[in-house]
Amino acid sequence: MPVWDELVGQDKVSEQLAAAARDADALVTAVAGATPPPEASRMTHAWLFTGPPGSGRSTAARAFAAALQCVSPDRALGGVPGCGFCDGCHTSLIGTHADVQIVRTDLLSIGVKETRDLVRRAQLSPAVGRWQVIVLEDADRLTEGAGNVLLKAVEEPAPRTVWLLCAPSIEDVLPTIRSRCRLLTLRTPPVGAVADILVRRDGIDPDVAAAAANATQGHIGRARRLATDPRARERRAAVLRLPLRVDDVGGCLRAAQELVDTASDDAKQLAEEVDVKETEELKTALGAAQGGRMPRGTAGVMKELEDRQKRRRTRTQRDSLDLALIDLTGFYRDVLALQLGSRLALGNADAVDVLERLARGSSPEATLRRIDAIAACREALDRNVAPLLAVEAMTMALRAG
């Protein structure tokens, strides 16, 4: 299956990337002395993939990285790079290609030290592949200092090095960086296309796939998780019961506490799965004696790991809360659609009775204020406001309408 098939509902972007991959292939072939490069190449050294959550930014970047490393013999016969089967494509997609560095963070930001390591790698020539490709999936999490470090590398790229940056919007990247990148904007995939890929690629029952795609309004990753993880469905159902529990102040505070506790449990569960393994591996690497005694001079390294794990738990909690707030926004969006008599498909058709009850009991203006309250809560969490305080303020605003 060609790598472009992974880009759900992004036909225009797929065409642009395929054309650039053909030109990139011609450029590398020209270096080897076979054919001259195209006069007006559609290939460039830095790309910025933007689009709403779930649009497939990182998927598009990975597919392009695979196409750049494609070694299929069909290319010599006029085939498009990105076959999806050759060693270059396969190892790029699964993250084991020696010349494709995929960078994502489970922390709140990407700092100067990590970025300098990437810049040093970017100066190297490809070891086994055709290009040195660096995929930065969370370019919006670069600190200002890290962005300035990256700027120099993007301004003066090494030969045959390609930067692929991903961010929700161009405003999330420094102007000096985005001005040196070719911009590709992805759209939210159609619900039908998401359901179709869940059925074809993941073998999910068509009815379950359609319900999950509709509930997440085209977010591919969340739709897959909702369709395959019973715990995700339970958490979503609990979130959608929240609007019925904010009739009094006590209900607001209890609902807020439960929402934050659920997010904390998610972070704790991830920590239990990852932290213990990381700690044991580090202790072994540092030469810990039997019984757990650490060699002298290693306390600082262990403290650094503990700090990193703490920051990861914080981000996991915030991400879990943010997903819950997105589901809640979708719920009130359906309420508003019913109040305005819209013909838009409801994302929460399984809760239509509750939606109609709330639609009859309030006005469109009140629903819009509730949606604004949820957006304000997300913004407060992004500014490091204490989660419980932010969510309590939101639930009180939902009650007030």
Side-chain angles (χ1 to χ4, degrees), residues 192-271:
V194 174
D196 181 63
I197 197 69
L198 291 178
V199 173
R200 289 191 293 108
R201 186 173 56 191
D202 301 300
I204 296 171
D205 179 83
D207 292 337
V208 175
N214 193 51
T216 57
Q217 292 298 292
H219 191 299
I220 303 171
R222 291 180 57 222
R224 181 182 294 111
R225 185 181 181 190
L226 197 62
T228 57
D229 186 355
R231 291 179 302 178
R233 293 194 289 271
E234 292 172 5
R235 284 193 291 269
R236 180 174 177 274
V239 169
L240 298 185
R241 288 195 294 269
L242 186 144
L244 300 177
R245 303 176 56 199
V246 293
D247 294 334
D248 53 51
V249 173
C252 291
L253 299 181
R254 285 192 297 272
Q257 185 67 64
E258 290 177 13
L259 198 60
V260 173
D261 288 345
T262 299
S264 298
D265 290 341
D266 284 346
K268 182 179 179 181
Q269 181 181 357
L270 178 63

Side-chain angles (χ1 to χ4, degrees), residues 43-61:
M43 179 60 186
T44 189
H45 69 284
W47 299 73
L48 177 58
F49 296 81
T50 65
S55 58
R57 299 184 302 263
S58 59
T59 300

Side-chain angles (χ1 to χ4, degrees), residues 10 16 42 47 72 88 97 150 157 168 180 185 207 211 214 225 230 276 279 287 320 322 373:
Q10 311 292 345
Q16 290 176 282
R42 286 160 289 191
W47 299 73
S72 169
H97 196 290
L150 178 62
R180 290 161 174 82
T185 302
D207 292 337
N214 193 51
R225 185 181 181 190
V276 174
T279 302
S320 180
D322 195 57

Side-chain angles (χ1 to χ4, degrees), residues 215 222 235-246 255-256 259 320-336 348 355 358 367 370-375 377-378 391 394-395 398:
R222 291 180 57 222
R235 284 193 291 269
R236 180 174 177 274
V239 169
L240 298 185
R241 288 195 294 269
L242 186 144
L244 300 177
R245 303 176 56 199
V246 293
L259 198 60
S320 180
L321 270 176
D322 195 57
L323 286 177
L325 296 178
I326 290 172
D327 286 334
L328 201 55
T329 302
F331 182 89
Y332 280 110
R333 170 255 190 199
D334 286 348
V335 172
L336 184 63
N348 301 280
L355 293 171
L358 291 177
T367 302
R370 291 181 170 114
I371 292 175
D372 287 342
I374 300 171
C377 181
R378 295 181 66 190
V391 177
M394 179 197 72
T395 55
L398 294 180

Side-chain angles (χ1 to χ4, degrees), residues 73-357:
D74 292 342
R75 294 176 297 106
L77 303 175
V80 178
C83 65
F85 297 102
C86 70
D87 183 68
C89 287
H90 178 68
T91 54
S92 297
L93 291 174
I94 65 175
T96 60
H97 196 290
D99 296 314
V100 177
Q101 177 78 5
I102 298 176
V103 183
R104 68 177 70 86
T105 183
D106 49 16
L107 304 179
L108 297 174
S109 62
I110 300 174
V112 171
K113 181 179 180 296
E114 299 95 323
T115 308
R116 282 178 177 157
D117 292 339
L118 289 178
V119 171
R120 280 193 289 269
R121 179 185 175 113
Q123 301 305 312
L124 302 176
S125 298
V128 296
R130 301 163 66 79
W131 297 86
Q132 180 77 253
V133 184
I134 300 177
V135 181
L136 188 54
E137 293 188 354
D138 300 296
D140 55 308
R141 294 186 183 270
L142 287 166
T143 64
E144 184 176 356
N148 291 329
V149 171
L150 178 62
L151 174 61
K152 188 68 173 178
V154 175
E155 276 183 327
E156 301 175 3
R160 292 173 60 183
T161 292
V162 182
W163 290 89
L164 307 180
L165 312 180
C166 304
S169 69
I170 59 174
E171 286 78 15
D172 293 310
V173 180
L174 287 176
T176 48
I177 292 179
R178 68 188 188 224
S179 65
R180 290 161 174 82
C181 298
R182 184 165 300 169
L183 177 64
L184 286 177
T185 302
L186 286 75
R187 65 188 183 111
T188 299
V191 170
V194 174
D196 181 63
I197 197 69
L198 291 178
V199 173
R200 289 191 293 108
R201 186 173 56 191
D202 301 300
I204 296 171
D205 179 83
D207 292 337
V208 175
N214 193 51
T216 57
Q217 292 298 292
H219 191 299
I220 303 171
R222 291 180 57 222
R224 181 182 294 111
R225 185 181 181 190
L226 197 62
T228 57
D229 186 355
R231 291 179 302 178
R233 293 194 289 271
E234 292 172 5
R235 284 193 291 269
R236 180 174 177 274
V239 169
L240 298 185
R241 288 195 294 269
L242 186 144
L244 300 177
R245 303 176 56 199
V246 293
D247 294 334
D248 53 51
V249 173
C252 291
L253 299 181
R254 285 192 297 272
Q257 185 67 64
E258 290 177 13
L259 198 60
V260 173
D261 288 345
T262 299
S264 298
D265 290 341
D266 284 346
K268 182 179 179 181
Q269 181 181 357
L270 178 63
E272 290 175 350
E273 295 173 355
V274 178
D275 290 2
V276 174
K277 181 180 178 181
E278 279 185 347
T279 302
E280 291 303 319
E281 288 178 349
L282 182 58
K283 286 182 176 179
T284 301
L286 294 174
Q290 190 171 9
R293 293 186 60 186
M294 298 296 298
R296 290 182 178 179
T298 59
V301 179
M302 294 301 298
K303 180 64 165 60
E304 183 180 347
L305 175 63
E306 291 171 3
D307 291 342
R308 176 184 174 87
Q309 290 172 343
K310 182 178 179 180
R311 292 195 300 272
R312 181 168 61 204
R313 284 193 292 271
T314 299
R315 177 181 171 182
T316 302
Q317 182 188 28
R318 290 182 183 175
D319 287 349
S320 180
L321 270 176
D322 195 57
L323 286 177
L325 296 178
I326 290 172
D327 286 334
L328 201 55
T329 302
F331 182 89
Y332 280 110
R333 170 255 190 199
D334 286 348
V335 172
L336 184 63
L338 290 175
Q339 291 171 329
L340 298 177
S342 171
R343 296 183 180 180
L344 289 173
L346 298 179
N348 301 280
D350 54 336
V352 65
D353 292 341
V354 177
L355 293 171
E356 290 177 345
R357 172 183 163 188

